[in-house]
């Protein structure tokens, strides 16, 4: 048995040496006195890249960072602490006053914290969710417009929990002033939101910036902002700090221009580019929401991401999280860690227990990759022009383990003879509400995955099954609790065989909608 095997078996294995991560998680939770139900559940796409196609030093930095590695996001969790309320620019897609507990968008937050409250919250979450490896400060304003609170929070966490990776997300206006401070606190990952490199376009996204004690508007504001963002990116690259660029795709405003943004950030050493859809509904009260600016469709977003992918690593698994999000991407456990609750919690930081748990998670990740490679080999060099999308209901761990009616999002994979590639996710309203299927929700779910040929689920009822089939989407439940990619490849081989034999005819699917409003239910 390997060293890793010994650690896991000693800590959590049965007499046959088999380690069940869900079981481990439950044991850890029980040990902490927490009643969790276990629900959780290059830099090629900075995303799908693994150790085999990455510099070992970079892999070390991203392997358990859920935002910088698509593979990691199935297994590791992150949290944001909302210690930075003020902002130094105005974006037309942002309104920090709007909050809805069921909503997930950057800038949205239920309560703001002091650095000391934030540090306590990090320890409480780290003790309850041992796969939480990353602490980010992402607002609700700009962390670098609140430097004292941001760096004091980092200082306290660095001392109390040195194994947790620190990261921050900024609009970049103040970034060049703080790169040395960022390096001092070992903040290894910085996200800069860059929506343009042309001030002519920027003036339609940013009405003003606050710069050198003055409010500046128009093209001048956008010019200063883009210069500061790109300079800050260069300075991060010079210091070996990984930079991810977030860009919001705003159809008719910057959608064509983002290809140029992609080139500009790549040439300055950005590690990963995350092009996200504009989320814009009137109830958010943003300028874009109120003036009817639409967001992109699913296929418009994917086409832009695909066209930039040859240029650099693309992130496709971003969930546009709240500034107080907690948990795996795609789940939000922030309600379990309100200030009242964490102040009452007895927190015991068990670094050794966390390490053992994370070793078990790493074993799980490796087993998943091995299963995918094994299945991929059976395609044996087959070629076909057919490329299609499938949706997957999952609670995490890279497994098909969610019921159709309980899914709050579906992960989307592109299948071809090259294998199964994660290309995005679609948030949906819950179908099952209070024990009954909700027909209105079903319509929106079908719209959200309308470009998919099949939906993989752990379980599904007769009614939604019939409606999905009517819409041309195959509900697949025979791979419950199996690995996603392995199962998808098996299904795809079968699909190709049926097309070849004439049993079915392959047809292209239509477009799909990206949900703009708040969830109907978070239950
Ligand atoms: S907003 Fe995107 S990048 Fe930030 S924590 Fe969420 S998934 Fe990661």
């Amino acid at each position: 048995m390997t060293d890793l095997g010994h650690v896991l078996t000693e800590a959590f294995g049965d007499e046959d040496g088999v380690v069940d991560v869900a079981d481990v998680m439950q044991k850890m939770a029980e040990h902490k006195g927490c009643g969790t139900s276990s629900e959780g559940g290059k830099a090629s796409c900075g995303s799908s890249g693994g150790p085999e196609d990455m510099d070992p030093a970079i892999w070390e930095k991203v392997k358990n960072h859920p935002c910088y590695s698509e593979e990691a996001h199935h297994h590791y969790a992150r949290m944001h602490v909302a210690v930075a309320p003020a902002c130094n620019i105005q974006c037309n897609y942002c309104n920090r006053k709007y909050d809805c507990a069921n909503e997930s968008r950057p800038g949205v937050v239920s309560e703001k914290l002091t650095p000391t409250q934030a540090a306590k919250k990090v320890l409480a979450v780290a003790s309850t969710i041992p796969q939480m490896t990353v602490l980010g400060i992402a607002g609700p304003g700009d962390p670098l417009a609140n430097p004292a609170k941001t760096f004091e929070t980092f200082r306290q966490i660095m001392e109390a929990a040195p194994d947790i990776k620190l990261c921050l997300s900024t609009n970049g206006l103040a970034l060049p002033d703080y790169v040395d401070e960022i390096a001092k606190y070992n903040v290894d990952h910085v996200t800069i939101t860059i929506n343009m490199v042309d001030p002519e376009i920027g003036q339609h996204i940013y009405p003003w910036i606050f710069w050198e004690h003055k409010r500046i508007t128009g093209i001048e504001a956008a010019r200063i902002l883009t210069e500061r963002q790109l300079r800050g990116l260069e300075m991060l690259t010079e210091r070996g700090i990984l930079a991810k660029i977030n860009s919001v795709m705003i159809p008719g405003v910057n959608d064509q221009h983002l290809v140029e943004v992609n080139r500009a950030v790549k040439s300055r050493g950005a590690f990963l580019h995350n092009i996200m859809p504009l989320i814009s509904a009137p109830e958010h009260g943003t300028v874009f929401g109120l003036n009817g600016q639409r967001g992109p469709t699913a296929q418009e977003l994917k086409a832009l991401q695909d066209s930039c992918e040859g240029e650099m690593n693309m992130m496709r698994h971003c969930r546009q999280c709240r500034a107080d999000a907690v948990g795996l991407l795609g789940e939000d456990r922030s309600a379990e860690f309100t200030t009242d609750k964490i102040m009452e919690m007895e927190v015991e930081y068990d670094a050794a227990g966390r390490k053992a748990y994370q070793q078990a998670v790493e074993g799980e990740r490796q087993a998943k990759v091995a299963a995918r490679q094994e299945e991929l080999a059976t395609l044996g060099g087959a070629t076909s022009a057919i490329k299609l999308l499938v949706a997957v209901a999952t609670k995490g761990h890279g497994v098909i383990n969610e019921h159709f009616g309980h899914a709050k999002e579906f992960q989307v994979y592109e299948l071809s003879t090259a294998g199964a590639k994660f290309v995005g996710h679609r948030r949906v309203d819950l179908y099952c509400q209070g024990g009954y299927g909700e027909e209105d929700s079903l319509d929106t779910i079908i719209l959200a995955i309308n470009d998919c040929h099949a939906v993989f689920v752990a379980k599904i009822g007769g009614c939604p099954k019939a409606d999905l089939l009517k819409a041309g989407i195959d509900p697949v439940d025979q791979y419950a609790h199996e690995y996603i990619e392995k199962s998808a490849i098996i299904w795809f081989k079968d699909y190709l065989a049926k097309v070849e034999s004439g049993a079915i005819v392959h047809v292209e699917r239509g477009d799909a909608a990206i949900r703009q409003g708040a969830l109907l239910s978070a239950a």
Side-chain angles (χ1 to χ4, degrees):
M1 190 185 291
T2 62
D3 289 345
L4 173 62
H6 278 300
V7 171
L8 301 181
T9 307
E10 266 176 30
F12 304 111
D14 63 19
E15 63 277 6
D16 297 316
V18 176
V19 176
D20 177 333
V21 171
D23 184 42
V24 173
M25 184 173 177
Q26 191 59 38
K27 282 181 181 145
M28 287 286 295
E30 282 161 9
H31 173 65
K32 303 292 169 205
C34 156
T36 179
S37 60
S38 230
E39 281 290 298
K42 253 163 173 169
S44 44
C45 142
S47 277
S48 57
E52 59 290 338
D53 55 6
M54 215 180 281
D55 175 323
I58 305 258
W59 174 245
E60 207 42 47
K61 285 186 184 184
V62 304
K63 69 177 186 189
N64 61 358
H65 195 308
C67 308
Y68 282 67
S69 161
E70 187 270 313
E71 233 183 80
H73 104 278
H74 298 282
H75 308 277
Y76 294 98
R78 55 71 185 102
M79 69 179 290
H80 289 165
V81 284
V83 294
C87 198
N88 47 5
I89 70 173
Q90 179 62 54
C91 309
N92 280 337
Y93 50 76
C94 178
N95 173 13
R96 300 196 304 286
K97 293 195 187 104
Y98 177 83
D99 176 34
C100 163
N102 295 341
E103 181 61 331
S104 180
R105 281 182 310 119
V108 173
V109 62
S110 291
E111 38 177 26
K112 291 166 195 131
L113 303 178
T114 64
T116 302
Q117 287 171 327
K120 173 102 198 257
K121 181 171 179 177
V122 171
L123 294 183
V125 172
S127 303
T128 312
I129 308 179
Q131 76 273 41
M132 192 281 282
T133 49
V134 172
L135 175 274
I137 300 183
D142 188 82
L144 301 179
N146 304 259
K149 289 177 183 155
T150 294
F151 291 112
E152 174 56 17
T153 304
F154 283 150
R155 190 193 65 73
Q156 292 193 25
I157 293 165
M158 204 169 85
E159 265 177 24
D163 64 315
I164 292 179
K165 286 186 161 69
L166 304 177
C167 68
L168 69 81
S169 200
T170 175
N171 60 47
L173 181 62
L175 181 57
D177 303 333
Y178 291 105
V179 171
D180 288 338
E181 195 81 350
I182 287 169
K184 186 173 126 191
Y185 289 97
N186 294 331
V187 177
D188 246 353
H189 304 75
V190 172
T191 297
I192 318 171
T193 300
I194 301 182
N195 297 315
M196 55 86 208
V197 290
D198 177 352
E200 289 281 346
I201 292 171
Q203 66 180 324
H204 302 297
I205 303 171
Y206 305 103
W208 56 259
I209 65 169
F210 195 74
W211 167 242
E212 294 185 333
H213 313 292
K214 289 192 298 281
R215 183 176 289 229
I216 300 169
T217 58
I219 290 194
E220 177 62 1
R223 185 189 61 74
I224 294 168
L225 181 60
T226 184
E227 281 174 11
R228 301 279 297 170
Q229 289 173 330
L230 296 179
R231 179 71 197 119
L233 170 58
E234 287 165 355
M235 292 170 73
L236 292 173
T237 303
E238 281 158 16
R239 285 161 180 76
I241 297 170
L242 290 187
K244 170 164 74 64
I245 307 304
N246 281 355
S247 300
V248 181
M249 180 181 179
I250 311 162
V253 177
N254 71 346
D255 48 344
Q256 305 296 321
H257 176 61
L258 286 179
V259 177
E260 201 182 317
V261 171
N262 180 268
R263 280 192 213 109
V265 299
K266 184 193 178 200
S267 68
R268 288 167 176 83
F271 173 72
L272 188 59
H273 194 186
N274 173 24
I275 299 180
M276 310 177 290
L278 172 73
I279 301 289
S280 164
E283 68 265 27
H284 299 154
T286 62
V287 171
F288 284 147
L290 293 172
N291 74 12
Q293 170 65 52
R294 74 171 180 94
T297 67
Q299 289 306 298
E300 286 170 339
L301 177 67
K302 183 174 180 297
L304 178 58
Q305 291 170 331
D306 287 351
S307 72
C308 290
E309 189 158 64
E311 298 286 321
M312 75 176 288
N313 311 320
M314 300 301 294
M315 176 182 189
R316 299 179 190 245
H317 60 281
C318 178
R319 302 306 201 275
Q320 296 174 269
C321 309
R322 298 167 58 91
D324 56 4
V326 173
L328 289 171
L329 307 192
E331 71 172 4
D332 187 9
R333 296 178 60 179
S334 56
E336 293 171 44
F337 301 97
T338 59
T339 308
D340 290 351
K341 288 179 187 162
I342 56 173
M343 287 304 152
E344 279 170 16
M345 285 170 85
E346 287 288 326
V347 175
E348 178 206 333
Y349 193 72
D350 176 6
R354 280 174 51 77
K355 193 168 173 196
Y357 183 90
Q358 288 172 24
Q359 282 175 328
V361 171
E362 184 55 20
E364 173 191 69
R365 189 192 68 76
Q366 286 173 7
K368 188 193 80 170
V369 171
R372 177 184 67 203
Q373 306 292 41
E374 205 183 307
E375 204 53 53
L376 198 52
T378 67
L379 276 168
T383 54
S384 164
I386 293 179
K387 216 180 221 190
L388 54 82
L389 302 180
V390 296
V392 180
T394 174
K395 290 190 275 197
H397 307 290
V399 172
I400 303 161
N401 54 5
E402 182 63 289
H403 292 201
F404 178 83
H406 299 169
K408 285 185 253 173
E409 69 161 36
F410 290 91
Q411 298 189 354
V412 177
Y413 286 76
E414 186 173 71
L415 308 185
S416 69
T417 45
K421 174 182 164 190
F422 180 98
V423 291
H425 64 93
R426 309 282 163 75
R427 295 181 62 214
V428 294
D429 298 318
L430 276 183
Y431 171 65
C432 182
Q433 299 191 27
Y436 296 96
E438 180 54 63
E439 280 307 310
D440 288 350
S441 300
L442 187 56
D443 291 344
T444 63
I445 294 169
I446 289 175
L447 269 180
I449 60 171
N450 186 50
D451 51 351
C452 296
H453 278 74
V455 56
F456 288 63
V457 297
K459 209 169 178 183
I460 185 166
C463 290
K465 215 175 198 174
D467 283 10
L468 283 162
L469 282 169
K470 210 156 96 196
I473 301 168
D474 183 12
V476 180
D477 57 3
Q478 71 261 38
Y479 302 108
H481 305 287
E482 301 283 343
Y483 290 122
I484 295 170
E485 287 147 308
K486 178 184 160 121
S487 306
I489 295 168
I490 296 173
W491 178 89
F492 185 62
K493 280 192 298 188
D494 187 47
Y495 182 89
L496 288 183
K498 284 183 185 152
V499 171
E500 202 171 328
S501 70
I504 57 171
V505 177
H506 174 69
V507 286
E508 297 292 335
R509 300 283 307 164
D511 204 344
I514 294 175
R515 194 186 58 78
Q516 299 289 310
L519 292 167
L520 285 184
S521 170

